[in-house]
Amino acid sequence: MPIIAYFGPRGTFTEQAARTFDARAELVPHTTIPDAVDALRAGGADLACVPVENSVEGAVSATMDALAVGEPVVAVAEHVLPIRFSVLTRPGTTAADVRTVASHPHALAQVRAWLAATLPGATQVAATSTAAAAVGVGEGRYDAAVTAPVAADHYPLAALAEDVADEPDAVTRFLLLARPGTLPEPTGADRTSVFAVVSHRPGELAAMLSELSLRGVNLSRIESRPLRNRFGEYRFYLDFDGHVAEQRVGDALAALHRRSQLVRFLGSYPKADRSTAAAVPAANTDADYAESTGWLAGLRKGEHA
């Protein structure tokens, strides 16, 4: 039975996402995202499940930083989870009784309008996770918690409201991480993730991105995070369509490696929605690469001009 470390405690959206990856797995909560990733690195877990980006609040910086520091880990799968919240209180609590409402800052941001309309007098308190807020309600530190629906399975609290969201189509993408090893096979609907550090010179970022566009690789996401020991310089996190096993993607990665100060491969894995990439431009298919490689080998052997 595989062990999946996840960002806990019990009752988070990350637990809900982790359940989708392997129904047989033992799920082990950890207090922070770095703790969950470090448990994987240390061999205390076979896999780790962490959030990477939210459609409302953007990238999860704790995950991005955890992937960059320490022994490498790679994503082997992703899941996109619709985000709808429950508001939990101690039994018998009414909306008029709520003076404090707690949750993770990302969650509070996603129900800001609902809170203003429904609990206008409540003070909002940031917690380390949605589930930690539920624990705080149970301990009497807060009156209400904005949580994942699964929290109601773990804590003896009552639902003041369910299916709450300012943005009804909000989603969060989660990654399933593993230690480096055999990669998932290409499916034709894959995503590759890397981060790169480029030289601090004019045009370097544009030059790096051109390595993708020249090979017909579709960039789907770019984020930056500061290098903590070099003010004004950044890591760039890239997601793009395709799998490292494809010639054009492998060639683009090799080019990034040549021209960047540092490149870390973060995985090639099936997209959650299984959407295929746009058609590969002419001259960039695997067959095109094979033909041109054969032609060049012939030139070097003097077989043709």
Side-chain angles (χ1 to χ4, degrees):
M1 179 185 298
I3 297 174
I4 300 179
Y6 71 93
F7 173 39
R10 295 185 307 161
T12 58
F13 283 106
T14 311
E15 179 189 350
Q16 285 189 221
R19 289 179 175 183
T20 68
F21 289 119
D22 190 335
R24 303 172 299 111
E26 177 185 353
L27 305 183
V28 179
H30 290 265
T31 305
T32 67
I33 288 171
D35 286 347
V37 178
D38 285 343
L40 169 63
R41 289 182 171 123
D46 303 297
L47 302 159
C49 180
V50 294
V52 67
E53 64 172 327
N54 173 265
S55 61
V56 176
E57 287 299 295
V60 180
S61 57
T63 295
M64 296 168 68
D65 291 343
L67 295 175
V69 179
E71 291 298 314
V73 295
V74 294
V76 294
E78 68 174 19
H79 180 71
V80 176
L81 185 71
I83 303 299
R84 312 286 292 189
F85 297 94
S86 294
V87 180
L88 303 183
T89 61
R90 291 180 295 279
T93 301
T94 67
D97 299 325
V98 175
R99 295 291 178 266
T100 53
V101 57
S103 194
H104 189 277
H106 276 202
L108 291 173
Q110 291 180 73
V111 296
R112 188 177 291 116
W114 185 92
L115 290 174
T118 311
L119 302 173
T123 299
Q124 297 178 26
V125 182
T128 55
S129 70
T130 57
V135 172
V137 171
E139 294 174 348
R141 291 183 284 120
Y142 319 121
D143 298 319
V146 178
T147 73
V150 71
D153 297 341
H154 297 300
Y155 306 105
L157 302 175
L160 181 69
E162 296 177 303
D163 203 34
V164 174
D166 291 350
E167 295 290 341
D169 296 324
V171 297
T172 295
R173 183 164 69 102
F174 296 84
L175 296 179
L176 185 66
L177 305 174
R179 291 182 292 278
T182 303
L183 298 174
E185 291 294 324
T187 67
D190 302 296
R191 190 187 318 278
T192 292
S193 299
V194 302
F195 80 72
V197 178
V198 298
S199 299
H200 196 47
R201 295 193 297 265
E204 283 297 311
L205 177 59
M208 178 182 74
L209 297 179
S210 72
E211 301 291 359
L212 302 179
S213 63
L214 287 171
R215 293 163 177 83
V217 176
N218 180 52
L219 180 69
S220 58
R221 174 175 171 257
I222 180 170
E223 303 275 355
S224 64
R225 290 288 296 159
L227 295 177
R228 296 181 180 181
N229 59 343
R230 286 149 56 183
F231 180 73
E233 297 187 47
Y234 300 86
R235 295 186 191 94
F236 293 95
Y237 293 77
L238 311 176
D239 286 346
F240 44 85
D241 291 344
H243 193 285
V244 65
E246 297 176 56
Q247 288 285 342
R248 65 195 179 97
V249 174
D251 199 40
L253 288 173
L256 292 183
H257 180 74
R258 287 195 303 271
R259 74 176 316 129
S260 302
Q261 294 181 10
L262 172 67
V263 173
R264 177 172 284 192
F265 176 69
L266 300 176
S268 287
Y269 47 93
K271 294 182 187 177
D273 62 5
R274 300 299 189 266
S275 62
T276 56
V280 178
N284 285 287
T285 67
D286 279 5
D288 293 322
Y289 271 90
E291 191 278 331
S292 60
T293 298
W295 175 81
L296 179 58
L299 285 182
R300 289 170 170 169
K301 293 177 182 178
E303 294 175 352
H304 57 78

